[in-house]
Amino acid sequence: MATAQNIVSFLFLHLVFVLLVSNIGNAKGLRLGYYHKTCPSAESIIKKATYQVISRAPTLAAPLLRMHFHDCFVRGCDGSVLLNSTKTNLAERDAIPNLSLRGFNVIDAIKAEVEEACPGVVSCADILAVAARDSVSMIHGPYWEVPLGRRDGRVSILNQVFAELPAPFANITQLKQMFAAKGLNMKDLAVLSGGHTIGTSHCLGFVNRLYNFTGRGDTDPSLDPNYIVKLRQKCKPGDTTTLVEMDPGSFKTFDEAYFTLVAKRRGLFQSDAALLDDPETKAYVILQSSTKGSTFAEDFAESMVKMGGIGVLTGNQGEIRKHCAFVN
């Protein structure tokens, strides 16, 4: 009897998740298998090309995930972060928070392969969404089905980055507002912050916490003092070049260790520490750190699908770029 109930419960939860993905897809005009007839090899081409890159350089997984995040939070998931600046317009990729993005050449190379197979069919925005998913799954992270059908935007404006992209210096109030503006809730905030389990940061992103937090030569009281000593050994005042692992010891592996660090007050950014300043996000941090990430993989997959539907262009909106760095 118990076994039958368990099976029913599992099937019900699976149905709920499928409906959730379907609703997100339908509501945004995205759907699973979008290129099934027009470019059936699209996802396999992207996966193979991504694998070739990540197998050689696993540290590129974090930048590709970050690039997708930066794309979606500014003007929606429309590939606008991929566009070059022109003589008359400064684009998103030249904004200070995006100067450290890497992997543009990876997306351009994948796009060229997809164009060779199916000219003018698959958007750069979709390629970025799928490559981000594949790169995460290739470093032991979760795999999720990506609803597709995004079109590429024709507009990319540098100044919009500062207004819409959450900064590493953001407090919990700012984070809450910025995520809510994109249709994401507090759980999504905690879950997606877990993406900091992979990757590195320049000292510039957190050095203020180590030396001059309030302008009086002090440190950030929300950061573990013992960790401050270690970070000071790596980052001196004014250091703009040194890279520091966000999740020391496993920054190349997608796991739940980030939440253990945050719970110990060792999150690298103020935005990491801010998760302990709200009851809901704090509870999520404690749950994952105390249960070895019992639901993190599943939650991350779900939140990534939600994030991937932010402000998408579909149907006749936007265009399908021939080259991801330029509008047609």
Side-chain angles (χ1 to χ4, degrees):
M1 185 70 175
T3 305
Q5 286 180 331
N6 289 341
I7 292 172
V8 171
S9 298
F10 172 79
L11 290 173
F12 175 74
L13 288 171
H14 183 69
L15 176 63
V16 168
F17 183 72
V18 169
L19 287 174
L20 173 70
V21 173
S22 300
N23 286 340
I24 291 169
N26 292 339
K28 304 289 185 179
L30 306 180
R31 68 176 190 269
L32 300 177
Y34 181 83
Y35 297 110
H36 181 66
K37 292 182 179 178
T38 55
C39 189
S41 60
E43 289 196 60
S44 61
I45 292 172
I46 298 168
K47 182 176 182 178
K48 183 180 178 182
T50 304
Y51 176 79
Q52 289 173 341
V53 170
I54 301 303
S55 61
R56 292 195 309 268
T59 56
L60 270 173
L64 289 173
L65 174 62
R66 183 168 169 241
M67 189 185 292
H68 182 38
F69 180 92
H70 282 218
D71 182 37
C72 290
F73 262 76
V74 183
R75 303 189 68 84
C77 311
D78 67 343
S80 54
V81 75
L82 303 170
L83 287 170
N84 282 342
S85 292
T86 65
K87 290 180 180 178
T88 58
N89 178 67
L90 289 174
E92 292 170 31
R93 67 191 282 176
D94 287 323
I96 291 172
N98 288 337
L99 291 178
S100 59
L101 287 179
R102 294 186 299 132
F104 291 104
N105 58 325
V106 174
I107 300 301
D108 288 343
I110 296 174
K111 173 64 171 173
E113 282 193 50
V114 174
E115 279 296 299
E116 195 173 319
C118 315
V121 175
V122 183
S123 70
C124 297
D126 274 347
I127 288 172
L128 178 55
V130 174
R133 185 271 313 276
D134 289 342
S135 61
V136 166
S137 70
M138 287 168 192
I139 54 167
H140 310 295
Y143 179 93
W144 60 95
E145 296 288 350
V146 180
L148 299 172
R150 297 166 190 79
R151 305 267 293 178
D152 295 321
R154 298 189 181 99
V155 178
S156 184
I157 302 170
L158 181 146
N159 286 334
Q160 289 186 337
V161 174
F162 300 101
E164 298 188 49
L165 187 68
F169 316 106
N171 60 39
I172 193 64
T173 302
Q174 294 166 328
L175 291 169
K176 188 182 293 189
Q177 290 171 345
M178 296 182 98
F179 271 67
K182 305 300 177 185
L184 301 174
N185 58 33
M186 295 303 282
K187 182 181 178 182
D188 296 317
L189 166 58
V191 171
L192 293 173
S193 295
H196 289 168
T197 182
I198 53 173
T200 57
S201 169
H202 287 94
C203 295
L204 198 62
F206 58 89
V207 74
N208 66 310
R209 306 181 75 195
L210 310 181
Y211 296 103
N212 198 27
F213 189 59
T214 64
R216 292 178 288 187
D218 54 346
T219 59
D220 184 348
S222 70
L223 187 58
D224 175 8
N226 294 323
Y227 198 38
I228 289 176
V229 173
K230 290 186 177 182
L231 291 173
R232 278 182 161 183
Q233 292 171 357
K234 297 178 180 178
C235 297
K236 304 302 179 187
D239 186 337
T240 59
T241 56
T242 302
L243 287 170
V244 176
E245 298 172 11
M246 289 194 279
D247 185 355
S250 69
F251 78 106
K252 294 180 185 177
T253 304
F254 198 96
D255 56 28
E256 77 289 342
Y258 164 82
F259 296 104
T260 302
L261 286 172
V262 173
K264 291 179 177 178
R265 296 167 55 222
R266 290 189 167 209
L268 203 55
F269 305 124
Q270 283 170 252
S271 59
D272 295 325
L275 297 180
L276 298 178
D277 295 333
D278 173 85
E280 189 175 348
T281 51
K282 181 178 181 178
Y284 190 83
V285 169
I286 301 302
L287 171 67
Q288 300 309 324
S289 63
S290 62
T291 62
K292 295 186 177 180
S294 58
T295 66
F296 176 47
E298 177 186 333
D299 293 339
F300 191 80
E302 188 175 313
S303 289
M304 284 299 294
V305 172
K306 283 181 70 176
M307 188 192 81
I310 296 173
V312 294
L313 302 175
T314 57
N316 294 321
Q317 299 171 312
E319 65 184 15
I320 304 297
R321 282 184 221 142
K322 293 174 184 172
H323 189 290
C324 293
F326 309 99
V327 294
N328 292 343

